Amino acid sequence: MAHDARGADRSGGRPRRDVSRPGLARRSRTPAGAGRDEPAPMSDLVTMRLDGRVALVTGAGSPDGIGYATARRLADLGARVAVVSTTRRIHDRAEELGVTGFVADLTDESEVGALADAVADQLGDVEVLVNNAGLASRASPEVLRPVTQLSYEEWRGEIDRNLTTAFLCSRAFTGGMAERGWGRIVNLAATAGAVNALPTEAAYAAAKAGVVGLTRALAMETVADGVTVNAVAPGTIHTASSTLVELKQGHGTPVGRPGTPDEVAAAVAFLCSPAASYITGQMLVVDGGKSVGESQFR
């Protein structure tokens, strides 16, 4: 089933939420070590299952991408999954996965608000959010220019696509997660910016480094409310948008090949699960050991 958040009915149904003023998080004021809720049974903590929980995966329009692989894995774990992208091809992805699809421009505050209402109406309150939107694709390629040649519009475009989307979606759903006392947010960062960088990718690197900063700050804001916030930073991953140069770089990793979307999705799914209850504010690098091995000079 697919829906267009841009055309959502705003005249009836549940009241339109104001995503610029999210609900106050439910904070625990009990002194440390005194009278706080007892931990959940260990059997609940260690499970990977997400049965019945509503999960939203952004940027899942490509059948060969990380968002698609993540949505499939979360559905396999029992979640009720919604996927969203900026184009109507999400209809095909939703049908293939047996999930619910939405169309929305996640750089637009009003469209994110409409999306939040539409998902709540169709599936219920979002408990798992994967901010994958923003990764480069053939339809929306990364801007590769030296800083001195980078226009302000190109800079803003990269920041909005890679960082603003994560901010707007996180803001729209975090308050509800905190009020209910459970939630998982996983942001897709990248090794670029947070671990390393290459010439001509300043805007992309800055945006992805910003995703890590957002992740850590939000994790500290929600730590008392049962909400964890983490980031996954892929290295070279073989997707439909991979260039020959990128694939060659992947073969230069210690593992000896590029990664796959399914391998990234496995890391994302773990951080979305109840089993990851004691992990928050962290960045998990998935790059075949490239960031660990010493540089090779030839």
Side-chain angles (χ1 to χ4, degrees):
M1 185 182 299
H3 305 271
D4 192 335
R6 296 164 178 161
D9 180 6
R10 302 182 188 181
S11 61
R14 69 171 66 202
R16 175 77 162 83
R17 69 188 69 190
D18 182 356
V19 296
S20 67
R21 295 172 180 257
L24 292 176
R26 178 181 52 78
R27 296 285 183 178
S28 171
R29 301 299 182 186
T30 308
R36 298 187 69 172
D37 292 341
E38 292 297 321
M42 188 57 65
S43 60
D44 292 339
L45 292 177
V46 298
T47 183
M48 287 285 293
R49 298 295 303 177
L50 290 165
D51 296 297
R53 296 200 181 274
V54 177
L56 173 63
V57 181
T58 71
S62 170
D64 302 307
I66 293 170
Y68 186 88
T70 297
R72 180 173 56 206
R73 187 169 289 264
L74 295 181
D76 288 344
L77 292 174
R80 301 174 63 201
V81 178
V83 291
V84 60
S85 77
T86 57
T87 67
R88 297 184 65 82
R89 67 175 179 169
I90 198 65
H91 295 18
D92 297 329
R93 305 293 84 80
E95 183 176 357
E96 292 161 4
L97 292 167
V99 303
T100 305
F102 298 88
V103 179
D105 178 357
L106 301 182
T107 67
D108 186 309
E109 183 178 20
S110 65
E111 292 199 24
V112 173
L115 172 67
D117 289 336
V119 175
D121 289 340
Q122 293 293 325
L123 297 177
D125 295 317
V126 170
E127 299 166 280
V128 175
L129 171 64
V130 178
N131 283 312
N132 174 71
L135 297 179
S137 67
R138 286 175 177 168
S140 182
E142 180 183 354
V143 177
L144 298 175
R145 299 187 198 282
V147 170
T148 55
Q149 299 175 19
L150 193 65
S151 72
Y152 179 66
E153 290 75 18
E154 289 169 335
W155 168 267
R156 283 298 302 271
E158 286 288 302
I159 298 297
D160 284 346
R161 185 179 66 181
N162 291 285
L163 178 57
T164 302
T165 53
F167 160 68
L168 289 176
C169 289
S170 295
R171 189 181 64 173
F173 296 105
T174 298
M177 292 180 186
E179 288 171 2
R180 293 186 298 273
W182 197 93
R184 297 286 186 269
I185 298 175
V186 179
N187 297 320
L188 267 292
T191 52
V195 178
N196 52 42
L198 293 171
T200 75
E201 63 174 17
Y204 179 78
K208 288 304 185 181
V211 168
V212 177
L214 172 65
T215 297
R216 290 171 176 161
L218 186 57
M220 294 300 96
E221 292 177 6
T222 61
V223 70
D225 301 304
V227 180
T228 66
V229 188
N230 292 288
V232 171
T236 302
I237 306 300
H238 190 172
T239 69
S241 63
S242 298
T243 66
L244 291 176
V245 172
E246 289 170 339
L247 295 178
K248 183 177 179 180
Q249 291 172 345
H251 286 289
T253 66
V255 170
R257 61 170 176 81
T260 68
D262 284 328
E263 287 172 321
V264 179
V268 173
F270 168 67
L271 292 173
C272 289
S273 74
S277 58
Y278 201 58
I279 303 172
T280 195
Q282 302 304 309
M283 181 184 72
L284 176 56
V285 175
V286 182
D287 72 345
K290 184 176 181 179
S291 59
V292 178
E294 293 184 6
S295 299
Q296 297 181 6
F297 297 96
R298 289 189 172 90

